[in-house]
Amino acid sequence: YLFYIPTSDGGTLEPALRDLTQPLIDHAEGQLFLNEAFKIIVEEVLHKGTDAEEKVCEWREPESLALLLDLQLRDTGESQGRLLQRVRNVAKYSIKTSHPHFFNQQFGGVDYHSLAGRFLTEALNTNLFTYEVAPVFVLMETEVLKALRQLVGWTDGDGIFCPGGSTSNMYAMNLARYKLFPEVKTKGLWALPRLAIFSSPGSHYSVQKGASYLGFGTDSVVLVKVDDGGRMIPEDLDAKIELAKSQGFVPLLVSCTSGTTVLGSFDPLDCIADVCDKHQLWMHVDAAWGGSVLFSKQHRHLMKGVERAKSVSWNPHKMLLAGLQCSAFLLQDTTNLLKRCNCANASYLFQQDKFYDVNLDIGDKSVQCSRKVDCLKLWLMWKAVGSTGLEHRVDKAFLHVRYLLEQMKKRDGFQLVSTPEFVNVCFWFIPPSLRGKEGNADYQDKLAKVAPVIKERMMKEGTMMVGYQPLGDLGNFFRVTVFSPHICHKDMDFFLDEIERLGKCL
């Protein structure tokens, strides 16, 4: 932008003119900065960050990284050039979660249609609570939730997008309590009997956190036994419910899991639903990880019986690559239970005499006031590839797992923890120095130290990322989640080669 501004004294801008033009100059500079910053994002994150020849991470120790980034905030601003270098540093030293060798979490990869939706969401910067400020997204969220419910098997219902699966699970616990004891909303916990929640040892930790946060207490969470594959045993659930009743508890909710975090196990929903019907308990399905199998005709049998649940959590930002965060809480209820439980009827937002249908003001369903738009990224991606494309994405992940298992069997030192039911492959790598020594007294202790050392080495070299953990009595083992549609057999081979290279000398 060029400005020619005549001045009264031939050289000094009038204060009024300066006040008028400065916002225009700031706006122009801001747009130029955004354009240059976007170029850096595309180069560092979307080009280098998805290139298998580049590093997954540029590891720095915390003190060194903090010094390099110069994190301290100061009174005066910085030049555009300095700020652009800061953008580049942030991109360079962040983990490249879209990299084909990032196997560390249950998110990763990039869908560019979804990413466009995320950019648009940020640019529009609106709040999804009333139709007047978010008309497009109120209608869009309603339609996307409807489509997800139909995949579950419900013709009608309710729901909301939440800030993560943990919050969705807590919504279920809170709603189940309100449904059984609506007076809790006004009278609080003192008026309630001791309530019991049932889940498995492999369930997400948000069940324990939710019990604490919502006032149930973690002692109210009853852990049901699982079989060798990590699946809840319905017979033990029935016995645990009867025991809880005899101890003075009021059984409230069963939190099943479709795709446990570590093993990827799917609880037998139909049989659990029979137990819930018998005892009149709320059945919730945490399908944050595994819910996307519902797109697949070949694999949706893993969630047989899900339509009998009262509520479902589902994170499309995981297997579907919708991008963080995209987490849906789905309800079979048609009585407006969600709003009745959470509403506060704020008259400055939810006026009842508006000129449009006030039922479109959906904000009182949420425990939040400010709520980010999370439906656009999923809607745009779904529009781009269709349900068929998302089904192919799910099926391809299972094929990747099959290939990985076949290659593991051909190599020495790879031992499965269990046969995968989903796309979680859990295994130990046994270095040559430990092979044939399984009977030694210190074998398990030494084996448990292998995964942490290999993980440290791969992080410091920046070649790859994969998670590890113990589980019950089992020592540390690797868990690789294989689901990104952008990886290929070459990446699977690299994964195995790299584990061998980094661990063969231990």
Side-chain angles (χ1 to χ4, degrees), residues 238-398:
D238 187 46
K240 290 282 178 29
I241 292 172
E242 292 289 2
L243 178 62
K245 288 179 178 179
S246 70
Q247 294 173 335
F249 284 88
V250 174
L252 177 69
L253 172 143
V254 177
S255 184
C256 317
T257 311
S258 288
T260 57
T261 304
V262 178
L263 296 179
S265 308
F266 284 74
D267 288 336
L269 302 182
D270 245 346
C271 296
I272 293 172
D274 291 339
V275 177
C276 290
D277 288 347
K278 173 184 174 182
H279 296 282
Q280 296 184 314
L281 270 65
W282 183 292
M283 176 176 163
H284 171 67
V285 178
D286 177 3
W289 177 218
S292 297
V293 300
L294 293 174
F295 275 100
S296 170
K297 292 184 283 291
Q298 186 177 354
H299 300 290
R300 66 172 292 124
H301 67 87
L302 291 168
M303 291 184 65
K304 184 177 181 296
V306 65
E307 71 282 353
R308 300 175 64 184
K310 298 288 187 185
S311 56
V312 173
S313 301
W314 183 354
N315 287 6
H317 70 237
K318 294 187 175 180
M319 195 172 195
L320 296 182
L321 276 70
L324 287 162
Q325 61 194 21
C326 187
S327 179
F329 176 63
L330 308 173
L331 276 170
Q332 192 180 35
D333 175 78
T334 57
T335 68
N336 222 13
L337 181 70
L338 188 60
K339 183 175 181 180
R340 287 188 284 116
C341 177
N342 294 327
C343 70
N345 301 313
S347 60
Y348 59 85
L349 277 179
F350 307 114
Q351 303 92 334
Q352 296 304 294
D353 55 357
K354 292 183 178 181
F355 63 92
Y356 58 82
D357 181 359
V358 295
N359 290 314
L360 293 169
D361 290 350
I362 58 177
D364 241 1
K365 292 182 181 182
S366 171
V367 296
Q368 304 165 251
C369 179
S370 299
R371 189 162 68 92
K372 196 175 182 66
V373 174
D374 289 327
C375 58
L376 174 57
K377 65 195 87 169
L378 176 56
W379 178 84
L380 199 58
M381 179 180 70
W382 202 335
K383 280 284 192 180
V385 303
S387 298
T388 302
L390 296 177
E391 177 182 22
H392 176 70
R393 191 168 289 183
V394 173
D395 291 343
K396 187 177 180 181
F398 279 86

Side-chain angles (χ1 to χ4, degrees), residues 12-169:
T12 304
L13 277 177
E14 293 288 349
L17 286 175
R18 191 162 57 244
D19 291 343
L20 175 66
T21 58
Q22 191 61 48
L24 297 175
I25 296 171
D26 291 343
H27 182 72
E29 289 181 345
Q31 287 191 335
L32 288 171
F33 172 78
L34 180 61
N35 288 340
E36 294 304 312
F38 192 77
K39 291 177 185 177
I40 294 173
I41 293 169
V42 170
E43 176 190 352
E44 292 287 341
V45 180
L46 300 180
H47 288 171
K48 292 182 180 179
T50 58
D51 185 349
E53 300 301 318
E54 296 284 344
K55 290 185 176 183
V56 177
C57 64
E58 293 278 355
W59 177 258
R60 294 289 186 278
E61 295 297 333
E63 297 81 4
S64 172
L65 181 60
L67 189 63
L68 186 151
L69 295 174
D70 186 20
L71 296 173
Q72 183 181 354
L73 299 172
R74 300 178 177 85
D75 292 336
T76 57
E78 297 182 339
S79 68
Q80 300 282 38
R82 188 75 176 271
L83 290 174
L84 289 171
Q85 183 57 48
R86 297 201 183 284
V87 171
R88 189 176 295 278
N89 286 344
V90 169
K92 179 178 180 179
Y93 294 103
S94 292
I95 305 300
K96 307 306 186 295
T97 62
S98 298
H99 196 285
H101 300 157
F102 178 82
F103 305 103
N104 205 68
Q105 314 295 156
Q106 293 164 327
F107 62 86
V110 59
D111 180 279
Y112 291 100
H113 302 101
S114 172
L115 184 59
R118 291 152 70 186
F119 286 147
L120 183 53
T121 295
E122 293 299 324
L124 289 170
N125 191 39
T126 194
N127 190 336
L128 222 175
F129 52 16
T130 63
Y131 184 78
E132 63 186 270
V133 298
V136 171
F137 300 125
V138 167
L139 299 180
M140 184 182 292
E141 179 171 282
T142 301
E143 188 61 32
V144 172
L145 290 171
K146 176 183 175 182
L148 292 174
R149 286 196 304 269
Q150 288 172 344
L151 287 167
V152 170
W154 300 332
T155 56
D156 206 350
D158 203 351
I160 195 169
F161 276 90
C162 298
S166 293
T167 304
S168 298
N169 291 338

